[in-house]
Amino acid sequence: MAESSDQHQEAAVDDPRPRRGFWFGVIVALVKPFMLIFTKPRFSGRENMPRTGGVVFVPNHISHFDPFVLGFFIWECRRIPRLLGKASLFKLPIAGRIITSAGQIPVHRDSTQAADAFRDAVAAVERGECVGVYPEGTITRDPDLWPMNGKTGAARIALMTGAPVIPIANWGAQEILQSYTGRLKIRLLPRKTVMARAGKPVDLSAFQGKPITNQLLHEATEVIMRALAETLGELRGETPPKELFDLRKARREENE
């Protein structure tokens, strides 16, 4: 079972599934059996995910495998995830067509099209969609896999739409696929426990109704990342670091 709580099991039975469309149905038909066969999901905090209406969820990024964990978790929350992803993935012959048709949102990094992803994400949230943004922008380089400092995209979308921001921590995907190790090796057996937890909506009331400046976005992003780190700490049973890993600073120090 994805969760042990009887209350959540009853909610799963009572809540209707969202209309998923053909191509997202294909993804569900492929991913859900795979996850149930090869992993042991442990999900919590589903009561914190709004059942309807536009929402922005912000997950930590620990592995190239964690989108499968997060997608499965969001589906178990009775929502359809619309993840922002690298544009190159959408150009793949078969997978690209599937994820495009399933309503996922491409991000054109380092180009004039980058703003298009935010417009598409804002439009999706305003339609009542459940949009996911990896705020770190890449897999964490923190030695202990805590979240790094975040980029401002999620805060911008949330403040432009007024939608709630839900931090979602995940853990265990790194045991299946370790990223940036120089070797691509998937370890499915023995089955690994993969965990995901939705935290309470991030309180951004201090930033709402104000002009959206870079300073405001950075301050709001710090609040979001701290909430995400604390949610991951609850999931791991550990205390997150007081200061999050700064990837830009680390790269500058490497080049000195």
Side-chain angles (χ1 to χ4, degrees), residues 167-186:
I168 298 183
N170 83 97
W171 191 248
Q174 77 281 2
E175 299 296 333
I176 296 173
L177 178 58
Q178 294 182 358
S179 302
Y180 301 119
T181 61
R183 298 175 59 191
L184 182 62
K185 185 175 182 180
I186 300 176

Side-chain angles (χ1 to χ4, degrees), residues 4-64:
S4 60
S5 169
D6 292 339
Q7 180 181 357
H8 291 167
Q9 291 177 30
E10 291 173 3
V13 172
D14 294 339
D15 291 343
R17 287 286 190 186
R19 295 182 62 182
R20 58 194 184 186
F22 175 78
W23 284 109
F24 193 83
V26 170
I27 293 176
V28 172
L30 294 173
V31 172
K32 184 172 181 177
F34 175 87
M35 294 296 291
L36 291 176
I37 292 171
F38 290 107
T39 72
K40 294 183 284 186
R42 297 291 182 266
F43 296 158
S44 60
R46 293 196 302 176
E47 70 278 5
N48 292 320
M49 174 62 72
R51 294 289 191 260
T52 59
V55 62
V56 180
F57 69 91
V58 288
N60 62 312
H61 204 359
I62 55 176
S63 166
H64 286 108

Side-chain angles (χ1 to χ4, degrees), residues 61 63-65 67 82-92 95-97 99-100 104-111 113-114 117 132-134 136-139 141 151 179-180 251:
H61 204 359
S63 166
H64 286 108
F65 189 81
R82 307 298 189 194
L83 275 167
L84 274 69
K86 292 188 296 185
S88 58
L89 298 175
F90 292 75
K91 297 178 182 179
L92 297 174
R97 180 183 177 186
I99 61 178
T100 299
Q104 307 310 294
I105 303 172
V107 176
H108 302 271
R109 294 181 176 178
D110 302 322
S111 77
Q113 294 175 295
V133 182
Y134 278 110
E136 298 162 273
T138 187
I139 293 173
R141 303 304 201 279
K151 300 181 183 298
S179 302
Y180 301 119
R251 287 175 171 172

Side-chain angles (χ1 to χ4, degrees), residues 54-58 125 129-133 153-155 157-158 161 163-167:
V55 62
V56 180
F57 69 91
V58 288
V125 171
E129 302 276 9
C130 181
V131 174
V133 182
I157 296 167
T161 61
V165 176
I166 307 298

Side-chain angles (χ1 to χ4, degrees), residues 94-235:
I94 298 176
R97 180 183 177 186
I98 292 175
I99 61 178
T100 299
S101 300
Q104 307 310 294
I105 303 172
V107 176
H108 302 271
R109 294 181 176 178
D110 302 322
S111 77
T112 56
Q113 294 175 295
D116 293 340
F118 293 109
R119 284 195 289 269
D120 292 343
V122 167
V125 171
E126 291 178 339
R127 290 195 304 268
E129 302 276 9
C130 181
V131 174
V133 182
Y134 278 110
E136 298 162 273
T138 187
I139 293 173
T140 183
R141 303 304 201 279
D142 181 275
D144 296 318
L145 301 183
W146 291 103
M148 303 185 294
N149 287 337
K151 300 181 183 298
T152 60
R156 182 183 296 274
I157 296 167
L159 293 175
M160 289 179 67
T161 61
V165 176
I166 307 298
I168 298 183
N170 83 97
W171 191 248
Q174 77 281 2
E175 299 296 333
I176 296 173
L177 178 58
Q178 294 182 358
S179 302
Y180 301 119
T181 61
R183 298 175 59 191
L184 182 62
K185 185 175 182 180
I186 300 176
R187 301 176 178 85
L188 291 174
L189 297 175
R191 293 168 66 205
K192 309 296 189 297
T193 296
V194 292
M195 300 183 289
R197 178 178 179 81
K200 294 182 179 180
V202 181
D203 183 6
L204 296 179
S205 59
F207 309 102
Q208 293 169 345
K210 296 181 179 180
I212 299 178
T213 63
N214 284 335
Q215 180 65 29
L216 185 82
L217 290 173
H218 282 290
E219 291 176 1
T221 298
E222 289 180 7
V223 174
I224 290 172
M225 297 310 298
R226 177 51 54 186
L228 179 56
E230 290 174 355
T231 304
L232 180 58
E234 294 171 359
L235 191 64

